[in-house]
Amino acid sequence: MKHNLVGIISSALGVWLTGASAQTIDLASSKVVDLSHPYDAKTIYWPTEPTGFQLKQEHKGLTKGGFFYYSNAFCSPEHGGTHIDAPMHFAEGHWTNSDIPIDRLIRPAVVIDVSQKAAQNADYALTNADIAAWEEANGRIPDGAIVLLRTGWSTRWPDRKAYLGDDTPGVATNLHFPSYGPEAATFLVSERHVSLIGLDTASVDIGPSQDFMVHRIIGAANVPGLENLANLDQLPATGAIVMAMPMKIAQGSGAPARVIAFAPR
C-alpha cells in the first residue's frame, strides 16, 4: 500500500510539474531536504525589528474531560527566520504575499555556490561572471527556475553577530554578509525570467547595502525572495525541485515559510 501511494503521488506530481517546467519528481528515488530554520527564541530578525518570535503557552495538560491537550499562541514579524519577501516589500503596487501564484513557488531549482569567495570576502556580491561560469559548467539556467545562492552562511546560525556581522540592537548600518549583486539580479529577472531567488543569508542584498537595489529590482519584476535558508549544501547544482510554502498572509509584505527540496539521492 505504501509503495502504491508513493507511486500515485509521484505520478501526480510528475504530470503536474512536467507540464509546468519539464521536470518530474520521483519520490521513490528522491531525498527530501528541509531548507528551513526552526522558529524559536534564537531566531534571527532584521536588527531594526522591535520584536522577535514569541510563543505563549495557552494550555498543556489534562482537560476537564480527562484527555491531554496542548496549544500555543505565537507572534512574529513577517521578516525573520526562513521567510519570503513578497514583491510588494520594496515595489509599490506589486504582488503582496497572498497574491503570489502558487506555481511560482514550486519549480526546478539551480544552486550557485559562492561559498569559497564569500569565505574570503564577507560582503561578496554575486556577479554576472559568476552566473556565466555556472552556466558554462552546468548549462543555461532554465526560464522560470528558482535560483538559490549558497554562501555557506547558514553554518553561522543562530549566532547573530557571526551571521549578520554585527549584533547592535536597532542598528542596520554595520552589517556584513554576502548576497546577490544588482547586475546579477537584473540579469536573472530580465534574461532568465526566474520565478524566485533565495539564499542562506539575511537579505537578497549584501549586508552593507543601504539602497536595497536587489530587493527593488526583483520586486519590480514581481519576483519574490527567500531569505535565511538552510542546508543548501545538500542540494546539487541542478536536479532539485523546491517547494516554498509561506503562510498565506493577506496583503502581507512577506511571511514565515517552510521550504523543502526534492533532490536526487
Side-chain angles (χ1 to χ4, degrees):
M1 176 62 73
K2 181 179 179 181
H3 182 269
N4 289 341
L5 180 60
V6 168
I8 291 169
I9 296 174
S10 298
S11 177
L13 284 172
V15 169
W16 185 75
L17 283 167
T18 298
S21 55
Q23 188 168 342
T24 63
I25 298 176
D26 181 355
L27 296 183
S29 61
S30 299
K31 63 178 180 179
V32 182
V33 182
D34 190 349
L35 304 182
S36 311
H37 292 290
Y39 277 83
D40 56 27
K42 296 180 179 179
T43 295
I44 296 173
Y45 287 81
W46 199 249
T48 54
E49 289 288 359
T51 62
F53 183 76
Q54 302 172 53
L55 189 69
K56 181 180 179 181
Q57 183 175 299
E58 295 182 326
H59 191 277
K60 185 178 184 181
L62 294 178
T63 67
K64 292 180 179 180
F67 54 85
F68 178 81
Y69 178 71
Y70 180 40
S71 179
N72 302 307
F74 73 89
C75 182
S76 172
E78 292 174 323
H79 301 280
T82 302
H83 70 282
I84 196 167
D85 283 357
M88 181 72 161
H89 188 33
F90 275 81
E92 184 177 5
H94 289 70
W95 288 337
T96 65
N97 182 63
S98 56
D99 297 324
I100 302 169
I102 196 71
D103 70 289
R104 293 291 190 99
L105 305 174
I106 309 175
R107 293 290 178 97
V110 304
V111 180
I112 301 176
D113 186 352
V114 296
S115 57
Q116 291 186 0
K117 293 180 178 179
Q120 301 299 316
N121 177 8
D123 299 326
Y124 188 77
L126 181 73
T127 67
N128 283 350
D130 293 323
I131 297 173
W134 187 95
E135 291 191 327
E136 178 68 24
N138 300 283
R140 187 183 189 277
I141 296 172
D143 284 359
I146 290 174
V147 173
L148 303 178
L149 183 64
R150 181 192 169 206
T151 70
W153 242 241
S154 64
T155 61
R156 303 175 180 223
W157 186 278
D159 184 326
R160 186 178 302 272
K161 186 170 185 177
Y163 192 76
L164 296 176
D166 184 57
D167 61 354
T168 307
V171 177
T173 55
N174 192 35
L175 306 182
H176 296 281
F177 51 79
S179 192
Y180 291 85
E183 290 185 359
T186 298
F187 177 83
L188 290 172
V189 301
S190 63
E191 301 297 329
R192 295 297 179 263
H193 312 292
V194 297
S195 65
L196 183 65
I197 68 170
L199 79 168
D200 54 0
T201 74
S203 173
V204 294
D205 281 282
I206 61 171
S209 175
Q210 295 299 302
D211 59 9
F212 302 101
M213 281 304 303
V214 174
H215 277 89
R216 293 157 62 185
I217 289 164
I218 67 172
N222 263 341
V223 173
L226 291 171
E227 296 168 338
N228 299 322
L229 295 173
N231 298 322
L232 293 183
D233 60 313
Q234 297 184 31
L235 301 185
T238 64
I241 291 176
V242 163
M243 294 187 177
M245 295 290 102
M247 293 176 62
K248 193 173 182 180
I249 301 174
Q251 301 304 305
S253 71
R258 187 66 181 269
V259 186
I260 65 172
F262 296 91
R265 290 186 186 277

